[in-house]
Amino acid sequence: MTVTVKPTARIFETTAEAASKTTEQTLRELGVSAEGLSAQEVAARQARWGPNAVATHRARPWSVLWHQLRSPLLGLLLAAALASFLVGERDSAIIIAVIVAVSVGLGFVNEYRAERAAQALHSQIHHQTLVTRDGQTTAVDVAALVPGDLVRLRLGDIIPADLRLIDVTGLECEESALTGESLPVDKTTGPVPAGTPLADLSGCALMGTVVHAGSADGVVVATGARTEFGRIAAGLGTHPLDTQFQIGLRRFSMLLVYVAGALTITIFVINVVLHRPIIDALLFSLAIAVGITPQLLPAVVSTSLAAGSRRMSRRKVLVKRLVCIEDLGDVDVLFTDKTGTLTQGRVDYMRAVPADGGDPGAVLRLGLLCTEDSAPGEQTVAGNPLDQALWRSSEAASLQAAQAGHTRLAVLPFDHDRRMISVLVRDPAGRTLLITKGAPETVLERCTDVTDAARTALNAEFAQGNRVIAVATRPLPEGHRPQNGDEHGLRLAGFLVFLDPPKQDAAQALRRLADLGITVKVVTGDNAAVAGKVCRDLGLGAGGALTGTDLDALDDAGLAAAIARTTVFARVTPEHKARIVHAQRHSGGGVAFLGDGVNDALALHAADVGISVDSATDVAKDAADVILLEKDLGVLADGVAEGRRIFANTIKYVLMGTSSNFGNMASAAGASLFLSFLPMLPSQILLNNLLYDSSQLAIPTDNVDEEQLRRPSHWDITFIRRFMIYFGPLSSVFDFATFAVMLWIFHSGPAQFRSGWFVESLATQTLVIFAIRTRRIPFFRSHPSLPLTLAALGVVAVGALLPATPLAHALGFRPLPIGFFAALAGMVAGYLALIEIGKRFFYRIAATTPPPTARAANRYRHLRRRAAHFSTAVRRTGGTSTGARVPKSDVEKR
């Protein structure tokens, strides 16, 4: 059946236009009633206006192919091969073209598979919002919103679209992502004059901003790229910010580009001076440059990341971008909240403790009335864990009748500054009463005549590790609308006690993190005594405890020093959490923060790696780099180990390229100076490089030594440069030994000389992986993976057999004498032995070198992360795309 949009429905040209209308006019023009849109109407509007997204995550083969082809070196090489073809050297030109095509194909296949893995990963991350449709309030995916949807906003929500507000309760929105204004903005329902600037649209809540306080209902007036946020995101483009791992890759690649450039120019000039053919000199020089350039490094990295993401997904760890896996391995300090990580996370109500020895049921009844949800049934879509625990309790069911006569008149919603919630109710006798519930320290400050017995009872509960909420009351006159200032002069009614015991496997998870070299510190809004008790029970009690008040008394230098000797940070605000993370980052090392609440967002943004859970608030998931499908430190330990494993295997390829591969290319450059012929033809250099790189595609499967997993992993270009200078010449020593053997023992001509050196250089630069992959003695104390072993040996066998195959003539090879292979075995054995000796001296010196300095955060990180919140992964069903249809002006086009 075909459905159409109601004729009365229209979309506003701008959000400012909707802001100038009254709420009644807005609802009428959007064709929506208080019941919300019907399912048929939603389908029609989705078909007309598309999904609510500003970007799509889709693996695009042409984009990946262009990434492989855009190397200027490849372009120059192909141009030179074409010139060679035109002047008659057709066989050589065709061989070069085929080798380049195979190399590009290898890189394309592996990188495209990684892109598909990233697309599948993104499809598992969902963001939901509360919407009223067909008279029912339900949670729907943010991307499914359409103009006219009625949306409910709560504390910590990221505004899912541009909304015209129709009802607000103390709503404040943090709009810095759009306007740059650091302070929260008060919101109302009144219209504003036409032409009002974006920062002054008080009657609208804008996509991408955050509910800082209060709650509200609003109607969607713009979605996707038509929102104010979408227009800004379109200007940014969707290219994600580089991680520290990507920056390291780029620096390494540039290092080799500079080396390759210098060698290429020098070799070309010298060969021209020696009156060699210009085309041959150019092809040879470019082939040397291609040989040094880590052409398949992106493929090796992509293969590692794709395989790692699949393994991590099976272990219930999702990363928003594949390259974040390596950054996770760089962590050495983890700040985490307590609830759900160290404790079971299922809060159970235990008992009520009256302040004056009265009726515990009366305290519980007040606690049930003082919730943001008016009925227990609403806990399915909202409600904090403590309120849900109250509603679940058996005592709550017995008090339903006693609550029936009470009427809720107004709510002062919870926020993290006040750390309390207040509800104004009318009892059956017609009296109005303000009920306040919150953190005991805060509530007691606002109470009068708190007895010593009440304080003693509270401390006793804290000492047992129980979570405690204080309940207090105050009568207010009829018709008075409560304000924050009314929360004083309260009378303490008592305490509600909850149990959240430590996880049985938390102690083991903490030991695993310690074995990985990660120091765990607890940052919580709970009481210091409660957090300390839990930490001691789990064996995490070596350090002291600081409260938010203590932090306020410390300057930045004092805080940085205090962090090292502190395990628990208690009763801290969101600003405190972010300050702690900043201080630790300036002290060096990688810092991770694990949190799931709106009060964790600042710290998640500030950390090198923000970690949240699938059940977290939207603002926490938005701020995080890594999502845990299960709030478990053991799962996180798996993710850290996987990140370090991937980084270690990537570095193996890098060190290969800076040792034997670089040495071989340098040898080729040097040999061309004293030989009357080219030491290796350009096509042979490219074939050598292709075979070598092909064997290294198995590196992602390799085993990693335990000691490499026990310390953080990070890029150190200085270390890599020293490695190249130290080990590169060792490779050249055996290359020149091969030259001597071929010229003075076998008296080889040009073709056989090239064949011998081709086989020797391929064998040494491929087999050296077994020495470089570990700091231990290879094979005896560290075993390579079977795929890597077979790949390396297979490539060496192919290289040794090529001069004896029918392809030898076309490739410029000649058969080698039997005696050469005996010399080859001796040279390979000698080379690997020399590398082993060199390793011991090199790593002994490297151990005394100071680590790299701390890294700085990127100033655009927040806005780019927020844009990722409003994106979809493209899924194919029957050939039809079900992903985001975003207008060409948006970020997908860019």
Side-chain angles (χ1 to χ4, degrees):
M1 180 179 67
T2 302
V3 294
T4 58
V5 180
K6 295 178 182 178
T8 56
R10 62 177 292 263
I11 192 169
F12 294 98
E13 292 297 326
T14 64
T15 302
E17 180 188 356
S20 66
K21 307 284 186 180
T22 66
T23 56
E24 293 79 8
Q25 289 174 318
T26 304
L27 292 171
R28 184 168 57 252
E29 294 192 28
L30 287 170
V32 59
S33 69
E35 298 293 309
L37 300 175
S38 66
Q40 288 184 339
E41 190 71 19
V42 169
R45 297 187 185 207
Q46 285 176 339
R48 177 176 177 182
W49 290 310
N52 179 39
V54 299
T56 58
H57 288 250
R58 179 171 57 199
R60 299 177 178 86
W62 292 113
S63 175
V64 174
L65 182 60
W66 169 245
H67 185 262
Q68 299 294 318
L69 294 173
R70 67 181 182 180
S71 167
L73 285 176
L74 279 183
L76 287 173
L77 186 62
L78 289 174
L82 177 62
S84 178
F85 181 86
L86 295 176
V87 298
E89 298 183 14
R90 298 188 175 184
D91 291 345
S92 178
I94 291 173
I95 291 172
I96 291 174
V98 170
I99 293 172
V100 169
V102 173
S103 177
V104 169
L106 273 175
F108 169 80
V109 169
N110 283 278
E111 192 167 344
Y112 184 64
R113 287 178 59 194
E115 289 286 331
R116 293 294 299 270
Q119 177 181 310
L121 184 67
H122 186 81
S123 68
Q124 298 180 60
I125 301 174
H126 302 284
H127 300 281
Q128 294 188 320
T129 189
L130 295 178
V131 177
T132 300
R133 291 175 177 172
D134 287 321
Q136 299 292 323
T137 299
T138 185
V140 302
D141 195 282
V142 166
L145 288 181
V146 295
D149 265 329
L150 300 180
V151 176
R152 179 176 297 181
L153 301 177
R154 302 174 66 88
L155 177 67
D157 286 350
I158 296 176
I159 311 300
D162 281 358
L163 308 179
R164 178 67 173 92
L165 298 172
I166 55 180
D167 183 50
V168 302
T169 302
L171 182 66
E172 295 180 4
C173 292
E174 188 270 302
E175 297 184 340
S176 60
L178 281 181
T179 66
E181 175 59 50
S182 59
L183 296 177
V185 179
D186 292 326
K187 294 295 182 178
T188 66
T189 58
V192 298
T196 298
L198 177 67
D200 297 324
L201 298 181
S202 58
C204 290
L206 303 174
M207 172 192 263
T209 62
V210 179
V211 177
H212 179 265
S215 59
D217 294 319
V219 60
V220 176
V221 296
T223 57
R226 290 172 291 273
T227 63
E228 299 298 330
F229 182 87
R231 293 187 176 95
I232 294 175
L236 286 176
T238 54
H239 179 69
L241 294 171
D242 286 344
T243 66
Q244 292 300 315
F245 175 73
Q246 289 172 303
I247 292 171
L249 274 180
R250 186 169 63 246
R251 288 175 179 170
F252 165 69
S253 298
M254 289 307 300
L255 170 67
L256 291 193
V257 166
Y258 292 142
V259 173
L263 274 177
T264 300
I265 294 172
T266 302
I267 293 169
F268 178 72
V269 170
I270 291 175
N271 277 271
V272 171
V273 170
L274 295 175
H275 304 292
R276 290 172 181 160
I278 291 180
I279 290 295
D280 289 348
L282 180 60
L283 283 172
F284 180 73
S285 302
L286 291 173
I288 291 289
V290 172
I292 294 176
T293 304
Q295 189 176 342
L296 284 189
L297 179 59
V300 170
V301 173
S302 298
T303 302
S304 295
L305 293 176
S309 71
R310 288 191 292 269
R311 286 193 295 268
M312 292 178 74
S313 181
R314 289 194 293 268
R315 295 176 179 179
K316 302 181 180 180
V317 180
L318 298 181
V319 288
K320 288 186 177 178
R321 286 197 291 149
L322 293 179
V323 288
C324 294
I325 296 174
E326 264 102 350
D327 282 347
L328 185 59
D330 195 12
V331 169
D332 58 6
V333 176
L334 169 67
F335 294 100
T336 179
D337 62 354
K338 173 178 64 69
T339 304
T341 51
L342 302 181
T343 64
Q344 293 182 8
R346 178 179 170 86
V347 182
D348 291 319
Y349 170 72
M350 294 176 63
R351 58 181 171 270
V353 179
D356 54 3
D359 179 18
V363 180
L364 176 57
R365 183 171 65 252
L366 292 172
L368 290 169
L369 289 170
C370 187
T371 62
E372 291 191 49
D373 301 318
S374 59
E378 292 190 20
Q379 66 181 315
T380 57
V381 293
N384 67 65
L386 296 176
D387 285 346
Q388 291 185 19
L390 284 179
W391 288 118
R392 283 198 311 267
S393 66
S394 58
E395 293 91 337
S398 64
L399 293 175
Q400 291 293 320
Q403 291 180 266
H406 291 78
T407 304
R408 286 162 44 107
L409 303 177
V411 178
L412 291 176
F414 177 88
D415 66 59
H416 294 283
D417 295 326
R418 292 163 40 245
R419 292 192 297 175
M420 62 178 65
I421 176 180
S422 292
V423 175
L424 184 65
V425 300
R426 181 188 298 117
D427 64 17
R431 293 169 298 192
T432 55
L433 187 69
L434 182 70
I435 307 172
T436 298
K437 182 176 70 176
E441 296 92 335
T442 307
V443 173
L444 264 60
E445 287 177 357
R446 301 174 185 236
C447 291
T448 59
D449 301 326
V450 179
T451 64
D452 291 339
R455 296 184 186 277
T456 301
L458 174 62
N459 291 332
E461 297 293 347
F462 283 154
Q464 296 178 53
N466 297 327
R467 299 185 65 176
V468 183
I469 296 295
V471 182
T473 62
R474 176 193 174 187
L476 284 181
E478 179 71 27
H480 179 79
R481 186 170 182 84
Q483 304 293 329
N484 290 350
D486 294 322
E487 296 171 326
H488 64 84
L490 303 171
R491 184 185 66 82
L492 180 65
F495 305 106
L496 300 172
V497 183
F498 301 84
L499 176 65
D500 186 14
K503 284 185 175 180
Q504 294 181 351
D505 58 353
Q508 180 182 355
L510 289 171
R511 286 193 296 271
R512 282 193 62 198
L513 289 171
D515 291 341
L516 291 170
I518 296 176
T519 302
V520 178
K521 299 180 182 294
V522 178
V523 182
T524 179
D526 209 341
N527 179 271
V530 175
K533 173 70 162 55
V534 171
C535 290
R536 286 191 299 274
D537 290 346
L538 295 173
L540 193 65
L546 289 177
T547 65
T549 304
D550 298 329
L551 297 181
D552 291 334
L554 296 172
D555 60 15
D556 290 344
L559 175 59
I563 289 175
R565 57 178 183 269
T566 303
T567 299
V568 174
F569 300 87
R571 292 299 192 210
V572 290
T573 65
E575 291 75 17
H576 285 142
K577 294 181 181 182
R579 187 179 171 219
I580 291 168
V581 171
H582 277 299
Q584 180 60 37
R585 288 193 69 218
H586 287 303
S587 299
V591 179
F593 187 92
L594 171 59
D596 61 357
V598 61
N599 57 328
D600 297 318
L602 287 176
L604 287 166
H605 274 301
D608 293 310
V609 181
I611 306 167
S612 193
V613 293
D614 195 39
S615 58
T617 60
D618 275 355
V619 71
K621 287 196 291 185
D622 166 72
D625 301 295
V626 178
I627 305 293
L628 305 181
L629 298 183
E630 183 178 315
K631 196 172 184 183
D632 185 348
L633 290 180
V635 171
L636 179 59
D638 290 338
V640 171
E642 191 61 44
R644 293 181 183 178
R645 182 175 291 106
I646 293 171
F647 186 87
N649 283 335
T650 302
I651 288 296
K652 291 172 187 176
Y653 179 87
V654 170
L655 297 182
M656 289 279 289
T658 54
S659 56
S660 62
N661 190 32
F662 170 74
N664 285 343
M665 295 303 104
S667 299
S672 67
L673 302 182
F674 65 83
L675 291 175
S676 60
F677 53 87
L678 292 178
M680 202 181 292
L681 296 177
S683 59
Q684 293 170 345
I685 292 176
L686 294 176
L687 179 60
N688 183 295
N689 191 54
L690 175 63
L691 291 172
Y692 158 77
D693 273 340
S694 299
S695 72
Q696 305 315 300
L697 285 176
I699 284 180
T701 70
D702 193 26
N703 303 318
V704 175
D705 297 337
E706 285 299 319
E707 59 265 26
Q708 291 181 278
L709 300 180
R710 285 199 295 265
R711 60 180 183 270
S713 53
H714 49 258
W715 280 93
D716 185 351
I717 296 300
T718 302
F719 172 86
I720 294 172
R721 188 185 300 115
R722 286 199 305 267
F723 195 95
M724 178 174 66
I725 295 172
Y726 191 91
F727 287 99
L730 296 183
S731 174
S732 294
V733 167
F734 287 88
D735 289 332
F736 282 98
T738 302
F739 299 162
V741 168
M742 299 306 298
L743 292 175
W744 298 331
I745 296 179
F746 297 114
H747 307 288
S748 301
Q752 192 177 72
F753 178 94
R754 292 165 182 154
S755 302
W757 187 43
F758 177 91
V759 173
E760 183 272 340
S761 65
L762 182 61
T764 54
Q765 71 178 347
T766 301
L767 295 178
V768 77
I769 182 60
F770 297 122
I772 288 178
R773 60 171 293 276
T774 178
R775 297 188 182 189
R776 302 176 180 178
I777 299 174
F779 294 105
F780 294 98
R781 297 185 58 203
S782 178
H783 303 286
S785 69
L786 181 61
L788 178 63
T789 303
L790 294 177
L793 296 178
V795 162
V796 171
V798 169
L801 293 174
L802 268 178
T805 66
L807 294 174
H809 179 74
L811 294 172
F813 293 135
R814 291 292 181 273
L816 294 164
I818 297 298
F820 166 81
F821 292 99
L824 174 66
M827 286 187 289
V828 169
Y831 175 53
L832 295 180
L834 187 59
I835 290 293
E836 279 300 311
I837 296 171
K839 271 168 47 178
R840 300 189 180 281
F841 288 101
F842 177 81
Y843 286 118
R844 190 176 302 163
I845 296 171
T848 63
T849 305
T853 56
R855 59 207 193 184
N858 192 298
R859 55 184 293 221
Y860 299 108
R861 196 178 184 203
H862 296 52
L863 191 55
R864 300 275 192 162
R865 277 175 166 176
R866 188 63 49 79
H869 183 91
F870 303 103
S871 59
T872 59
V874 174
R875 296 173 294 276
R876 298 281 178 180
T877 304
T880 303
S881 172
T882 59
R885 296 192 310 105
V886 185
K888 291 182 179 179
S889 62
D890 104 320
V891 285
E892 180 186 357
K893 180 174 181 279
R894 299 170 184 264

